Amino acid sequence: MKKISWKKNLALMSLAALMATSTTNANEETGKPVSLPVHADQALAALQPGSGPIDLNAKPIPKGLGALLGQASRGPAASVFPKIAPSVVVVRAGGGYGTGFIVDSDGWILTNNHVIESAGIDIGTASRYAFIHFGDLEDGMMTLNQQASPALVYAASPEKDLALLKLLAVPEGRELKPIAFAAKNATPGTDCITIGHPKRGVFWSVRSGEVVGIAKYPHDMIDTVMTQMVMASDAKQSFAKSLSESRPRKALLSTCGINPGDSGGPLLNNDGELVAVNFAIPTSEKDSQVNLDKFSYHVHLDEVKEFTATRPEKSEVFQPNYWPPAATSSFLDVDDDNVYETWRFSIDEETPFTGVVVDLDSDTPANFIEDYKADKQDRNQFECEFALALMPNNRVFYDRDNDGEFDLILTDVDENGFSDLTIAKNSNGWEKIDSKEQRMFDPTVFQDAKLQERFKVLVMSQTKNPEGTAPDGLSPEEAKPEAEASPADSAPADAADSKK
């Protein structure tokens, strides 16, 4: 896994030194840092850091999965298995894996959004990528083909927990047979079959069961409904408000008994037609000693049909999450104007500074810190126009027009002060911009002159090379860090990027 090269980037080192102010015994006296907790996903990213973009065209794709159970799986009795199993694939992304399946002979693959959520980013397209592994049917059993085929993410829906991928190229000599969608929805009591790659199991494990129910997830689940019934009035209103703000997902429940690793796999009827897509299992209660995994949750076919109705012409340009991986955080008043405008994040002494978000025009509500501590404010209510994240790569975010949303993201892979991957939001959405001379720290990207000046004061004045050029008069080429192994030379890492 690629480590942050602190010594090779003097600009970031200087900013890190400024932000590394000790927060031990921090209080809210004027000019003193104020410590705050961090969001759960930042803490998780700190524990499971990933890597940054790679160029899929730079080197041959690593085979991967070479040591993972490359043995023949057991042969099931179900007659649907030999017809459907070759259409089921392994989806490897972000250091983990899941299941997927062919939905079109041109190389389109469907899986869960959470399977590819932490996937790496391809420099050439600014899209997330995954590696697809096929299997071969021999003597009634499936064997894993360890050769990986890269695929890009063309569409993803966290709400539906679905993702649509497309192979860069169909492997030579391999015929792709899509799984047909059922014309009629499954109903409670009907038989169902799933094929996937469950943890603690073998590749292409087949299981059968029956449909037990159909509901809106999680709104219609018994736990959700019964919890509301016993709540006090105020709590019930708050709970109902929270549910109303989330989009329910039409789900199908079955007794097919899926495991982690089966995510994104097909749920089939007895004709081998798709009726749903696996996505979750219930969590068992530690104290009750009762195993709750008697049911499996699946994305209903109606949701699948809606999601796959259109095929995007281009792969999806991915917008990384601007919140840095962190275990602790604090607010700083960098310019001593009695306003806390800089939110600093860190993990530990070895990586004391993982990033900052900065409110350049100081328009965050004055009571935000207290409200956030009291869990009355969401972190996204902090009005920031600039963010810097140092993990998994040096990455900066700009809100150029100050409309409350970041619209320019720069990623510096080789740490020379210039962007290696630039994406920008315009009237057509997010697009990759070919800009080799774009400096990471550049006040001119802001449309407002006041923001440009504030950026110079709060960010650029804290670096030794504020113009984003190489220090000591060296050219950018001369100032490049020592040669390191290209990310493309190793297996893809588990990038912790995600959307806001």
Side-chain angles (χ1 to χ4, degrees):
M1 183 176 296
K2 184 176 181 292
K3 287 181 139 184
I4 297 175
S5 182
W6 299 94
K7 295 182 180 179
K8 295 177 183 175
N9 196 329
L10 295 181
L12 293 176
M13 276 292 293
S14 302
L15 191 55
L18 170 81
M19 301 305 179
T21 307
S22 173
T23 60
T24 305
N25 299 323
N27 55 58
E28 296 183 31
E29 296 178 8
T30 302
K32 296 293 183 68
V34 178
S35 298
L36 285 88
V38 297
H39 195 273
D41 65 3
Q42 290 174 265
L44 180 61
L47 292 173
Q48 299 177 336
S51 71
I54 72 167
D55 186 351
L56 288 177
N57 294 317
K59 294 289 179 66
I61 300 301
K63 292 183 179 180
L65 283 186
L68 293 180
L69 300 176
Q71 304 174 7
S73 61
R74 66 173 185 257
S79 61
V80 73
F81 181 83
K83 180 175 69 173
I84 298 300
S87 299
V88 178
V89 300
V90 177
V91 180
R92 183 162 58 90
Y97 78 97
T99 302
F101 56 95
I102 307 297
V103 294
D104 194 290
S105 59
D106 290 337
W108 293 93
I109 294 169
L110 190 66
T111 188
N112 283 143
N113 175 73
H114 74 260
V115 170
I116 55 87
E117 194 168 24
S118 298
I121 303 174
D122 170 39
I123 285 182
T125 60
S127 301
R128 287 176 292 179
Y129 65 88
F131 291 124
I132 307 301
H133 293 264
F134 294 92
D136 298 301
L137 186 66
E138 299 176 1
D139 297 327
M141 298 187 298
M142 292 292 293
T143 56
L144 177 70
N145 186 322
Q146 297 182 17
Q147 180 63 48
S149 298
L152 296 177
V153 177
Y154 273 66
S157 171
E159 294 78 18
K160 295 180 184 294
D161 198 9
L162 294 173
L164 190 62
L165 288 63
K166 188 178 184 182
L167 295 167
L168 292 184
V170 176
E172 185 177 354
R174 184 170 294 279
E175 181 183 1
L176 303 185
K177 296 181 179 180
I179 294 179
F181 292 0
K184 184 179 179 181
N185 288 334
T187 56
T190 57
D191 294 337
C192 54
I193 300 166
T194 192
I195 301 172
H197 316 295
K199 187 176 182 179
R200 300 290 190 268
V202 294
F203 291 112
W204 286 276
S205 292
V206 63
R207 283 133 293 166
S208 60
E210 63 183 9
V211 176
V212 299
I214 297 170
K216 293 180 180 179
Y217 178 90
H219 300 60
D220 293 342
M221 306 307 294
I222 290 177
D223 292 352
T224 303
V225 176
M226 296 303 293
T227 298
Q228 285 182 282
M229 287 185 177
V230 298
M231 280 182 170
S233 178
D234 291 345
K236 183 181 294 186
Q237 291 179 4
S238 177
F239 191 83
K241 182 176 183 295
S242 178
L243 279 178
S244 67
E245 293 173 351
S246 63
R247 180 192 179 279
R249 178 189 312 158
K250 190 173 183 180
L252 183 151
L253 280 68
S254 83
T255 59
C256 270
I258 64 173
N259 274 9
D262 283 313
S263 293
L267 188 72
L268 311 160
N269 59 23
N270 286 342
D271 294 323
E273 298 170 327
L274 186 78
V275 295
V277 177
N278 305 335
F279 79 87
I281 55 175
T283 302
S284 295
E285 297 176 349
K286 295 180 179 180
D287 298 333
S288 67
Q289 297 183 349
V290 175
N291 190 353
L292 300 180
D293 61 358
K294 300 176 180 65
F295 302 109
S296 300
Y297 300 153
H298 316 267
V299 183
H300 194 275
L301 182 60
D302 288 348
E303 300 275 19
V304 177
K305 288 181 176 179
E306 181 180 347
F307 178 71
T308 59
T310 58
R311 306 288 167 83
E313 295 182 0
K314 297 181 179 179
S315 56
E316 178 187 70
V317 174
F318 180 65
Q319 305 93 59
N321 187 358
Y322 67 87
W323 293 104
T328 63
S329 73
S330 60
F331 268 109
L332 303 176
D333 177 12
V334 173
D335 57 351
D336 297 322
D337 64 351
N338 297 325
V339 177
Y340 291 101
E341 80 294 311
T342 302
W343 198 349
R344 179 181 69 89
F345 299 90
S346 59
I347 295 178
D348 51 35
E349 293 182 357
E350 293 184 1
T351 54
F353 168 59
T354 58
V356 294
V357 292
V358 185
D359 180 4
L360 296 176
D361 56 5
S362 301
D363 58 350
T364 297
N367 60 345
F368 174 81
I369 293 178
E370 289 303 320
D371 286 348
Y372 182 79
K373 284 184 174 182
D375 201 25
K376 296 179 180 179
Q377 284 272 24
D378 181 82
R379 62 178 178 173
N380 294 321
Q381 300 303 312
F382 182 70
E383 299 286 347
C384 53
E385 293 77 36
F386 173 78
L388 164 68
L390 300 181
M391 297 174 66
N393 281 107
N394 297 336
R395 185 174 284 140
V396 293
F397 303 75
Y398 292 91
D399 180 2
R400 295 174 295 178
D401 55 5
N402 197 15
D403 67 347
E405 294 184 0
F406 287 120
D407 50 29
L408 179 67
I409 304 176
L410 313 176
T411 302
D412 182 6
V413 177
D414 54 12
E415 300 180 1
N416 67 349
F418 290 84
S419 176
D420 299 297
L421 175 60
T422 301
I423 63 173
K425 186 178 181 181
N426 52 39
S427 58
N428 296 321
W430 285 90
E431 294 182 352
K432 179 178 181 291
I433 306 298
D434 293 325
S435 178
K436 298 294 184 181
E437 301 301 321
Q438 175 61 59
R439 295 186 177 94
M440 294 291 283
F441 297 98
D442 184 359
T444 65
V445 302
F446 290 108
Q447 297 176 7
D448 188 340
K450 292 182 179 180
L451 287 185
Q452 294 181 13
E453 294 304 314
R454 289 292 288 166
F455 183 78
K456 293 176 183 178
V457 171
L458 297 174
V459 179
M460 296 188 69
S461 65
Q462 315 305 325
T463 65
K464 291 182 180 179
N465 51 341
E467 296 303 322
T469 56
D472 301 327
L474 297 178
S475 68
E477 188 64 30
E478 293 171 319
K480 282 185 179 180
E482 297 177 5
E484 297 180 355
S486 168
D489 292 334
S490 59
D494 48 341
D497 295 331
S498 61
K499 291 183 178 178
K500 176 178 175 181

